[in-house]
Amino acid sequence: MSVTIETLEAMERPPVSMGSRLEGELLEVSMGPQHPSTHGVFRMNVALEGEIVRKLKPVFGYLHRNHEKIGENASYLGSMPYTDRLDYFCSMTNNWAYALSVEKLAGIEVPERAEYLRVILAELTRLQNHASLLGFLLNDMGAWGTPLMYAFREREKILDLFESLSGSRMMCDYMRFGGCRVDASPEWLAHAKKIVDRFPRFVDELEQLIVGNEVVIARTQNVGNVSPELAVSAGITGPMLRACGVNYDVRKVDGYGFYPRFKFRIPLGEHGDTYDRLMMRVLEMGESVGILKQAFEQVPTGPIINPKVKIRAFRPPVGEAYGRIEAPKGELGFYLISDGGTNPYRYRVRPPSFINLTILEDMCLGHTVADVMVILGSIDIVMGEVDR
Amino acid sequence: MDVIPKKPAESMEPIEQIKARIEAAVPGASIEILQNASPSQQHSLKIDNEHAHDVAKWLHDDPALRLDFCSNVTGVDWLDRTVKKMVKVKKVVDGEEKEVAETTEEKIPGYLEAVYHLYSMTHKHGPVIIRMRTADRAAGARLPSLTPIWRSAEFQEREIFDLYGIRFDGHPDLRRILMWDEFEDYPMRKDYREPDDYEYEPTPHDDVLERAKRYYTPRPQIDGAESIVEPLNG
């Protein structure tokens, strides 16, 4: 960490009511990029007064590889494996968002079985993402290792499912325009069903660990509050938005895939603090298990890919499309402009965790440095997606 | 199982009506509908830069639209291009009037574009797509910032500035975001050429060594032999 000292006059000083504290200087600390709790190479320049955060500026770009430029120089299908590397925890939902946008652009229909498989895989992704996020968050709060290992135990089972279906644990590259790449065998579905049936035990266990835990409550309640007005204006999406009490879930609003066929509820928070954000993940896991159980019952037989879609020299008509899905971290969108060629003229990713970081400073002001870690952890960022 | 139809997004008024209502509400604003021929049917509104702030404010505040959620902001680079059109012209050929196809070329100068995808969290409809265009592709191309209306544009407009080089007037903190501050070019532009070596710095080898030679007399050789280089100042 590099440390520079700045005089008090140089920075605006908000009113402090710290009782008999001595007047101090503001200390500028550069947190990250090599900090264990920044979940990758994220850096914040923080101005501290004692332990209290007075200013915070995020610094991006340590993992920037200009994903969008690569996408513009690759063919439509050629970008599909690159989307795995955006949010490398949730490659299935990344694939789906990209496939959905191209399907909108070219007007492609998806067979019924493929839509069900997509729902199943997206919800499995949500389960393992939320489980590992909670593990990491408790890790940041000082529950060193144990909850994370419990979460990883469950995540590993789901990653094994992904591996046996797509050949890869994390870089699945599973979806295709108009369907999916390989079919799921009945044995795979039966095995997945078994794992999903056992999953609520883990959710209950984790919920028990969090809900009444004195340390968790002390560290998270009333920390990093976000008002619903600010959240909507700043384009916050996903569990972080719903923790503020705003009912907006793309699965319900757009009704993409076959989500309108499933019965599920949208958990909503009340206070918009870190504790609510934590609980959103726990409750969403429960709803995802419900969706998965319905999907396993309903999944039909049939083709898994639309045979009319060209694999070679795939050229969507001239035009543009913006498609979005509810990824575990928020609204993941792809904006594509086609000039009639084999490459997209413009390929844009709307990364949820990048935009969720817009209000990081607003959430952290007035809290201690130790709370910054917890607040950042509750946003759920992955640098592969933030920096692209 | 019964086939339940996919739930359509809550119906929104047609884009022509939105255009007419904006023009009534914001006097002087010139709005143009850009048709999108693709199956997505997402047409967009091109708004003029002078009234962009007022139009955006109206879109945000209008009770029927209430577009409070700006989902996606992005830039697009359009190079200079020529559009060839086939036009049928009536001509007298060999005393007979015939229809002859002629190609006309139209040169369209390049411009940079900022695209905003707006949704409503209150009414759960969208998207309404608005676009703004710069006059040219020069380095100082400017557009009004919409960050004061939608905070979510803050980082995304910074990203456009970083990668496309559009300066947003009224943005609270316009700096590079993904590239480092000393970087000079705009990598997402279509005519961007990446340098051979990103980390090139002029080293003292050529110019400085040449100058240094003038001031240093060569050292005598260890074995006592005379130097073959004559001192320059000597």
Side-chain angles (χ1 to χ4, degrees), chain B residues 64-94:
Chain B
L65 280 174
R66 199 76 185 90
L67 298 165
D68 48 7
F69 171 40
C70 175
S71 171
N72 180 42
V73 185
T74 188
V76 188
D77 182 12
W78 296 97
L79 294 168
D80 301 346
R81 63 185 195 273
T82 51
V83 178
K84 282 184 183 173
K85 273 185 187 169
M86 296 281 276
V87 186
K88 286 196 172 174
V89 189
K90 283 192 176 174
K91 264 191 178 178
V92 183
V93 183
D94 303 335

Side-chain angles (χ1 to χ4, degrees), chain B residues 107-138:
Chain B
K107 278 194 179 175
I108 300 173
Y111 49 84
L112 299 165
E113 196 173 40
V115 188
Y116 296 71
H117 286 81
L118 310 175
Y119 288 85
S120 171
M121 282 200 185
T122 317
H123 299 312
K124 303 202 173 15
H125 59 62
V128 170
I129 304 163
I130 57 173
R131 312 173 96 94
M132 293 188 287
R133 287 177 183 172
T134 63
D136 53 13
R137 299 178 66 253

Side-chain angles (χ1 to χ4, degrees), chain B residues 5-6 42-43 122 144 194 227:
Chain B
K6 290 187 182 181
Q42 294 171 339
H43 309 298
T122 317
E194 55 189 84
S227 166

Side-chain angles (χ1 to χ4, degrees), chain A residues 36-37 39 135-144 219 373-374 376-377:
Chain A
S37 64
H39 302 271
F136 280 125
L137 190 51
L138 290 170
N139 206 21
D140 290 345
M141 277 191 262
W144 197 242
R219 289 297 304 277
M373 300 286 106
V374 181
L376 183 70

Side-chain angles (χ1 to χ4, degrees), chain A residues 110-135:
Chain A
V110 183
E112 203 164 327
R113 185 175 170 84
E115 291 274 31
Y116 272 99
L117 286 178
R118 285 178 176 191
V119 169
I120 289 171
L121 290 162
E123 294 307 317
L124 283 173
T125 305
R126 202 179 310 279
L127 287 182
Q128 57 101 356
N129 177 74
H130 286 356
S132 45
L133 167 91
L134 290 167

